[in-house]
Amino acid sequence: MQLTAKPSLNNALLISVRTPEFKGAEAEESLAELARLVTTLGFKVVGTQSQNQSSTKRVNVLGLGKLAEIAQLTGNKGIIEATDNDDELDYDLDFNDIPSVNLPIACADIVVFDCDLSPSQMRNVENQLGVEVFDRTGVIIEIFSRHARTKTAKLQVEIARLNYVAPRLRETSTGDKEHQMGKGAGETTLELNRRNVRDQLAELKRQLVSVQEEMKGRRTQRSEHFCVALVGYTNAGKSSMMRAITGSEVEGENKLFATLDTTVRALFPVTHPRILVSDTVGFIKKLPHDLVASFHSTLAEAHDASLLLYVVDASDPSFRKQLEVVNEVLEEVGVEGSKKLLILNKSDQLSVEQQAQLIIEYPDAMLTSARDPKDVAKLHEYIVGIAEQEMIEEQVIIPYTAKGIVGEIRNTMSVINEEYEYDHIKLTVRSSAIDLARLKKSMQNI
């Protein structure tokens, strides 16, 4: 006798479609990541199902037998029908004979595919299963929508969401009635909804252009400083590292995409001149194209940075593949030529042998833990050292009559040496070319 699960909203069943190009360990890791994504949305994962297919482009995505098996797990609420493309037909199928991998019937009220579904595929699966169906892109966009905080991020996510939703809009049962009433010059509900989405997209894009200009202006102001950008896979520990090296209270949770908005803080302990650190949005496999396009301006922090810190979770066996994803996305947005340092984070979760192996494999990387003050101090020293390589060392003569100049120098430059003469101070400073030029210009007016 099979058990029937008590109905509970948002019990999710995950589906993996294995293809010749996507199988084995890669598919398993992707499914595990999907489980973390779904959990981040607040869903409870009750089980998984998988099937080998030649492609994910088939009309029904899954074979008829597998759909019937899944339908049992979702309570047999839909109508399973064969299609012309089905190569797994079984008209004498007995639902009670389908193995459920020890999952109770009606245990799930949501089905999530670890691949992208076309609008017609999603519609077919929902009709056949009778429950709400998500694909991987839909889950990621929903997470982004919930975690966006700033105006820029909200605009970017909403544009991506509407681009995703637009082709999936469906006619409502009131469409013909509205047509008869002459609503919208004879437009059906579907046509009205599509036009509304197009109008919303146009307005959002106009607003985004305006906001991006403001962001560009702020980045231009920061360009005089040495800037460090933390980049990496989501949940690699970037926010923890950001807190550690800036002494700030930056949000960070053990969830995917817990931090979405770019945050900029000064390196701490504070240096002269100041060094700025930005924490960018995390990356993920199969990041929806619309989100990559939408977040170009967010990733511009990485594009403009003088130093990129590639933060990876060294305790995650799949971090090498995650690093490949980071490199691919950064290449797509045109981040090239910047100095880079690989940060093998969360080293405190590794054995001594594992740490030694990673040092051999990545001799130019830095093995760190954001929880270890010594590691944080070592990273701070490295960043300052790289910043100083780009600075110019020069002697400046400051008359005692030049009030306020010395204080300004101490705030914006690193004073290496100072000598007090009869009528002036001789300072040896290390600074950017821009600040030195500004100092010399102000000295001319004294």
Side-chain angles (χ1 to χ4, degrees):
M1 178 178 177
Q2 287 189 325
L3 298 175
T4 301
K6 294 181 179 180
S8 176
L9 186 62
N10 298 343
N11 280 339
L13 181 69
L14 310 186
I15 311 297
S16 176
V17 181
R18 314 294 173 93
T19 66
E21 297 78 25
F22 181 72
K23 58 185 178 181
E26 182 183 7
E28 291 295 334
E29 290 170 4
S30 183
L31 191 63
E33 184 173 80
L34 180 66
R36 293 196 295 273
L37 287 165
V38 168
T39 301
T40 297
L41 279 181
F43 297 165
K44 178 183 177 182
V45 177
V46 295
T48 64
Q49 294 281 292
S50 65
Q51 186 175 51
N52 296 325
Q53 292 285 0
S54 59
S55 168
T56 60
K57 306 302 181 184
R58 299 170 69 246
V59 174
N60 266 342
V61 190
L62 300 171
L64 192 65
K66 177 58 71 174
L67 279 170
E69 180 180 346
I70 294 170
Q72 185 177 14
L73 301 178
T74 58
N76 296 325
K77 300 172 184 176
I79 301 175
I80 296 184
E81 298 176 345
T83 67
D84 293 340
N85 288 36
D86 246 309
D87 52 10
E88 191 186 351
L89 305 181
D90 188 350
Y91 297 106
D92 296 321
L93 196 64
D94 183 351
F95 282 77
N96 292 322
D97 292 335
I98 299 173
S100 61
V101 198
N102 298 322
L103 291 174
I105 62 174
C107 64
D109 51 28
I110 289 175
V111 172
V112 185
F113 280 78
D114 189 26
C115 61
D116 287 341
L117 301 180
S118 69
S120 59
Q121 285 176 322
M122 187 170 291
R123 181 169 57 252
N124 288 340
V125 175
E126 285 187 342
N127 290 339
Q128 291 168 324
L129 299 182
V131 295
E132 190 171 8
V133 174
F134 288 87
D135 62 6
R136 187 182 179 93
T137 291
V139 168
I140 294 175
I141 288 178
E142 180 62 24
I143 292 174
F144 271 57
S145 295
R146 293 187 186 185
H147 289 187
R149 296 290 181 268
T150 65
K151 184 176 182 180
T152 306
K154 288 178 180 178
L155 288 171
Q156 290 168 325
V157 172
E158 186 61 9
I159 288 172
R161 190 188 70 81
L162 289 177
N163 280 329
Y164 175 80
V165 167
R168 291 167 174 77
L169 292 173
R170 304 174 191 177
E171 185 62 275
T172 66
S173 58
T174 60
D176 292 338
K177 181 178 179 181
E178 290 178 349
H179 182 94
Q180 294 168 4
M181 293 173 63
K183 206 172 205 178
E187 290 178 304
T188 64
T189 305
L190 178 59
E191 291 166 340
L192 284 169
N193 288 340
R194 284 176 174 167
R195 183 156 59 87
N196 184 44
V197 167
R198 287 195 299 270
D199 291 343
Q200 288 183 59
L201 277 170
E203 175 58 27
L204 288 170
K205 288 176 180 178
R206 281 194 294 270
Q207 293 182 36
L208 184 58
V209 168
S210 175
V211 174
Q212 286 175 336
E213 286 300 318
E214 295 177 12
M215 290 177 63
K216 184 177 180 181
R218 289 195 291 272
R219 286 199 305 272
T220 300
Q221 293 174 359
R222 293 197 295 267
S223 64
E224 298 181 6
H225 297 276
F226 186 89
C227 294
V228 180
L230 299 175
V231 297
Y233 210 73
T234 182
N235 210 35
K238 295 191 310 301
S239 294
S240 296
M241 187 62 69
M242 179 76 167
R243 288 196 304 273
I245 63 178
T246 64
S248 60
E249 294 298 322
V250 178
E251 180 183 5
E253 299 179 63
N254 189 29
K255 290 183 179 180
L256 302 184
F257 300 113
T259 306
L260 187 57
D261 304 298
T262 300
T263 306
V264 181
R265 297 286 187 271
L267 187 69
F268 183 85
V270 176
T271 60
H272 298 288
R274 286 198 313 165
I275 296 174
L276 300 182
V277 184
S278 63
D279 180 14
T280 61
V281 63
F283 305 144
I284 196 167
K285 295 173 188 172
K286 307 178 193 174
L287 186 66
H289 179 74
D290 281 336
L291 282 177
V292 174
S294 294
F295 276 82
H296 271 210
S297 60
T298 302
L299 295 175
E301 295 289 347
H303 188 279
D304 297 339
S306 308
L307 172 66
L308 293 179
L309 300 182
Y310 281 49
V311 182
V312 299
D313 178 359
S315 67
D316 188 334
S318 62
F319 83 81
R320 294 166 183 82
K321 292 182 180 178
Q322 295 174 357
L323 186 57
E324 290 177 8
V325 173
V326 174
N327 286 323
E328 289 171 4
V329 175
L330 289 176
E331 183 178 347
E332 186 172 348
V333 299
V335 176
E336 298 174 354
S338 300
K339 288 186 175 66
K340 305 176 181 66
L341 174 66
L342 177 61
I343 303 293
L344 299 171
N345 194 31
K346 304 186 183 181
S347 62
D348 54 320
Q349 299 179 25
L350 301 173
S351 66
V352 175
E353 292 76 15
Q354 289 173 319
Q355 292 182 21
Q357 184 178 349
L358 284 176
I359 290 173
I360 295 173
E361 185 177 357
Y362 299 100
D364 297 326
M366 185 177 291
L367 201 64
T368 67
S369 168
R371 298 177 179 178
D372 189 333
K374 292 182 180 179
D375 287 348
V376 174
K378 181 173 66 173
L379 179 57
H380 184 284
E381 182 180 354
Y382 174 86
I383 294 171
V384 172
I386 295 296
E388 288 181 346
Q389 290 176 12
E390 296 194 1
M391 295 181 189
I392 299 171
E393 188 170 310
E394 194 165 316
Q395 277 192 346
V396 292
I397 305 298
I398 311 295
Y400 288 123
T401 55
K403 297 180 180 179
I405 292 292
V406 175
E408 181 182 334
I409 289 174
R410 294 189 190 281
N411 285 330
T412 59
M413 302 179 182
S414 177
V415 179
I416 307 302
N417 186 48
E418 49 189 289
E419 299 176 21
Y420 291 85
E421 305 291 344
Y422 176 73
D423 59 352
H424 65 265
I425 305 174
K426 184 188 295 183
L427 298 179
T428 303
V429 299
R430 187 176 291 135
S431 177
S432 67
I434 293 176
D435 281 340
L436 275 173
R438 186 182 293 117
L439 173 63
K440 291 176 180 179
K441 186 175 180 179
S442 63
M443 292 291 294
Q444 292 174 356
N445 298 324
I446 295 176

